[in-house]
Amino acid sequence: MKKTQFLLVALALGFVFSCRENDGITDETPDQKEVHSKIVNVTSHDGRPFSTGTSSYAKFVAGPGGSVLMQGFYWDVPDGGNWWNTVKGKLTDWSNAGIGAVWLPPASKAQNGAYSMGYDPTDYYDFGNYNQNGSIETRFGSRAELEALITKAHAENMQVYADIVINHNSGGQSEYNPYVGSNTWTNFSGVASGKFTRNYNDFYKNAYGNNDEGAFGGFPDLCHANPYVQDWLWGRDDSVGKYYKNVMKFDGWRFDYVKGFGPWVVSTWNSNVGGFSVGELWDSNVNTLEWWANNANSSVFDFAAYYKMDDAFDNGNLNVLNDDMMWKRNPFKAVTFVANHDTDIIYNKMLAYAYILTHEGYPTIFYRDYEEWLNKERLNNLIWIHNNKATGTTSILYTDNDEYIARRNGYNGNPGLVVYINNSSSWQERWIQTNWTSQQIKDFTGSSNWYPTTQSDKWVKIQCAPKSYSIWSLNQ
């Protein structure tokens, strides 16, 4: 949910990787320059290749490191009904880059019709095919265009996640509410689809009580305790959840403002409907995040990691990356992110993306970061590294205010990696212990020209450019 409309200044984040000569370290040999035939050799500033993905058309196939999620919108995307077509036109490139899923904004008709971002839902079954709230299409387009987007994504082996807003509704007509003693905007008997009609008893306060966990923005607060509401949200064959999944073909759910209702709601939805799910629990307390994820039987956005990254990379305090985060508690229920449509506070974003794309959890990339603001080739390189090298548990090897080094320990034959993040203004070098004995490694970002060989005790010296990162793994 858009809590505050942020005024964002487009930052010139030209992320420059530099290189220097190093005594005792030889440049790569012609054999070392050979890269597997399916790897694109995108050239770094000094002419050396780094890995980004496949060179020919290739639908997404999950690598040993898992998948990456694209948030396929931002706040106030252009109106005019063309957003579904815009996203559809990018799916092949996203798939080729190694992105395995796209999260879409709320797709159904909302109170502000063609101008709404969807977080004020009126008719859950109007995807831009009914004339109500001043328009036929939604801000994003028509139902046919949405279905074409989803079909295209599936053809690319990508999943599509729907933004589900079930805390509150908007756009109802006024009716007398005996539980309030005055009129409320809770009459949804005239929704154009004819499905999930609602009245005052489907919203708090009503026969089921005065309130639940939380209301939002003065909107009518949907009552999940009402069996009628439960039946229409997830119970019946044409419920909202089952219709989205079985008819519209969505693969998963991003639940908006889950502070507003109990985690049992998401858990019950998931057990009845199925599919991937992640909740927006805007809370930096990792205990709260873990409690909600366990009780909701769902993933949760790792706001604990989000605020730690801001402190680390913007405030020069990389030691806080030793602190607890949701991905450390349960990486299988942690969705990590650097920015989203609601909040964008991290300035040193490339360092943050290097962090989430090399660590455990399910990393999310924000549309504007990828398509408009940051270096797409660098992001593609990180996506490739995530999908192909970021495997196994995580061991933190070194931290201080300016430097952070961690090792992914590898899994099932995959060697894992070592990530070195340097937030200082000068090149840094460290001896670290790897999982590799007497084997040559290289920096898969192309930033360093070192090709060191690990010692018999697995120790090796690595380096990192200023305000940058390097990511090391076996030279294979």
Side-chain angles (χ1 to χ4, degrees):
M1 172 60 58
K2 182 69 175 178
K3 278 74 184 178
T4 305
Q5 191 163 348
F6 290 89
L7 298 177
L8 301 176
V9 178
L11 302 174
L13 297 176
F15 199 74
V16 178
F17 284 73
S18 60
C19 183
R20 65 179 182 182
E21 294 297 323
N22 296 278
D23 292 339
I25 305 295
T26 60
D27 286 338
E28 58 199 308
T29 67
D31 288 340
Q32 291 166 348
K33 291 182 179 179
E34 290 181 9
V35 184
H36 191 280
S37 60
K38 288 189 177 180
I39 295 177
V40 170
N41 293 333
V42 177
T43 304
S44 62
H45 79 282
D46 58 358
R48 288 174 293 103
F50 59 86
S51 304
T52 61
T54 56
S55 58
S56 58
Y57 176 85
K59 296 178 177 61
F60 172 78
V61 177
S67 182
V68 175
L69 171 62
M70 171 68 74
Q71 179 176 356
F73 66 100
Y74 53 93
W75 193 256
D76 281 347
V77 300
D79 57 28
N82 199 47
W83 190 250
W84 297 145
N85 291 333
T86 297
V87 172
K88 178 188 171 192
K90 297 182 181 296
L91 292 174
T92 296
D93 287 343
W94 291 353
S95 173
N96 289 343
I99 295 166
V102 56
W103 154 31
L104 299 182
S108 64
K109 188 70 63 65
Q111 180 178 9
N112 287 322
Y115 302 100
S116 175
M117 283 296 296
Y119 291 97
D120 50 343
T122 299
D123 188 341
Y124 289 104
Y125 297 84
D126 179 1
F127 297 94
N129 49 306
Y130 293 103
N131 189 357
Q132 63 181 331
N133 293 357
S135 69
I136 296 177
E137 291 191 348
T138 67
R139 182 189 193 100
F140 315 113
S142 68
R143 173 172 177 153
E145 290 165 342
L146 172 60
E147 290 176 317
L149 184 164
I150 296 172
T151 298
K152 174 67 173 176
H154 289 160
E156 298 289 347
N157 289 339
M158 297 175 68
Q159 292 198 325
V160 184
Y161 303 153
D163 206 315
I164 300 296
V165 186
I166 54 173
N167 176 73
H168 51 272
N169 291 168
S170 188
Q173 301 301 305
S174 179
E175 63 180 349
Y176 180 74
N177 186 336
Y179 295 94
V180 178
S182 62
N183 278 33
T184 52
W185 299 96
T186 50
N187 181 359
F188 292 81
S189 62
V191 291
S193 70
K195 294 180 178 291
F196 195 15
T197 59
R198 287 144 278 162
N199 63 28
Y200 61 81
N201 205 40
D202 302 315
F203 301 89
Y204 290 108
K205 67 186 192 180
N206 59 6
Y208 296 90
N210 292 337
N211 58 274
D212 57 1
E213 280 74 5
F216 180 81
F219 292 117
D221 188 26
L222 202 58
C223 175
H224 303 94
N226 186 335
Y228 174 83
V229 173
Q230 297 175 18
D231 203 32
W232 270 107
L233 286 181
W234 59 70
R236 52 192 289 156
D237 288 343
D238 61 344
S239 64
V240 173
K242 292 176 182 176
Y243 192 92
Y244 275 53
K245 186 170 186 282
N246 300 326
V247 178
M248 300 303 294
K249 304 300 183 182
F250 282 103
D251 304 288
W253 329 106
R254 179 267 188 188
F255 288 96
D256 180 67
Y257 191 63
V258 298
K259 280 188 173 182
F261 46 88
W264 68 269
V265 172
V266 172
S267 179
T268 308
W269 174 297
N270 288 339
S271 64
N272 280 270
V273 180
F276 172 82
S277 74
V278 57
E280 181 217 20
L281 185 70
W282 199 322
D283 197 310
S284 63
N285 188 318
V286 67
N287 294 317
T288 304
L289 296 173
E290 183 183 37
W291 167 84
W292 186 90
N294 289 340
N295 284 276
N297 189 28
S298 173
S299 297
V300 66
F301 283 107
D302 195 347
F303 277 92
Y306 176 69
Y307 287 108
K308 294 299 181 186
M309 288 190 294
D310 179 45
D311 192 12
F313 302 129
D314 291 347
N315 298 326
N317 186 20
L318 269 63
N319 278 315
V320 302
L321 298 179
N322 288 310
D323 293 352
D324 207 357
M325 307 176 201
M326 185 61 195
W327 72 259
K328 297 182 181 182
R329 293 282 183 95
N330 188 341
F332 301 104
K333 289 186 176 179
V335 178
T336 53
F337 67 102
V338 173
N340 64 29
H341 62 294
D342 278 334
T343 179
D344 192 0
I345 62 173
I346 298 174
Y347 180 88
N348 286 316
K349 285 185 174 182
M350 285 304 302
L351 300 187
Y353 276 113
Y355 181 82
I356 69 169
L357 286 161
T358 55
H359 284 64
E360 293 168 82
Y362 186 7
T364 307
I365 295 178
F366 183 43
Y367 179 95
R368 299 199 87 167
D369 287 341
Y370 188 82
E371 292 291 343
E372 300 177 13
W373 291 341
L374 301 182
N375 186 314
K376 186 181 293 188
E377 289 183 350
R378 297 292 172 187
L379 287 172
N380 284 345
N381 170 239
L382 286 171
I383 294 167
W384 185 93
I385 290 170
H386 171 271
N387 291 349
N388 290 277
K389 301 293 182 182
T391 61
T393 57
T394 303
S395 300
I396 297 176
L397 304 180
Y398 179 85
T399 59
D400 61 24
N401 284 341
D402 293 326
E403 298 173 62
Y404 172 87
I405 306 175
R407 183 180 70 220
R408 293 296 299 275
N409 293 310
Y411 177 74
N412 197 28
N414 186 280
L417 57 80
V418 172
V419 56
Y420 191 165
I421 300 176
N422 174 19
N423 203 24
S424 77
S425 57
S426 61
W427 278 84
Q428 300 294 333
E429 301 171 2
R430 292 285 169 189
W431 281 94
I432 53 96
Q433 190 171 30
T434 71
N435 288 322
W436 314 306
T437 301
S438 303
Q439 291 180 279
Q440 189 182 71
I441 64 173
K442 72 173 184 179
D443 172 18
F444 276 79
T445 73
S447 175
S448 171
N449 67 351
W450 284 12
Y451 282 77
T453 297
T454 62
Q455 298 180 157
S456 60
D457 58 1
K458 303 181 180 180
W459 284 80
V460 71
K461 181 189 280 189
I462 58 176
Q463 65 171 185
C464 189
K467 302 295 182 182
S468 185
Y469 55 88
S470 57
I471 302 170
W472 305 80
S473 189
L474 296 184
N475 184 18
Q476 61 185 31

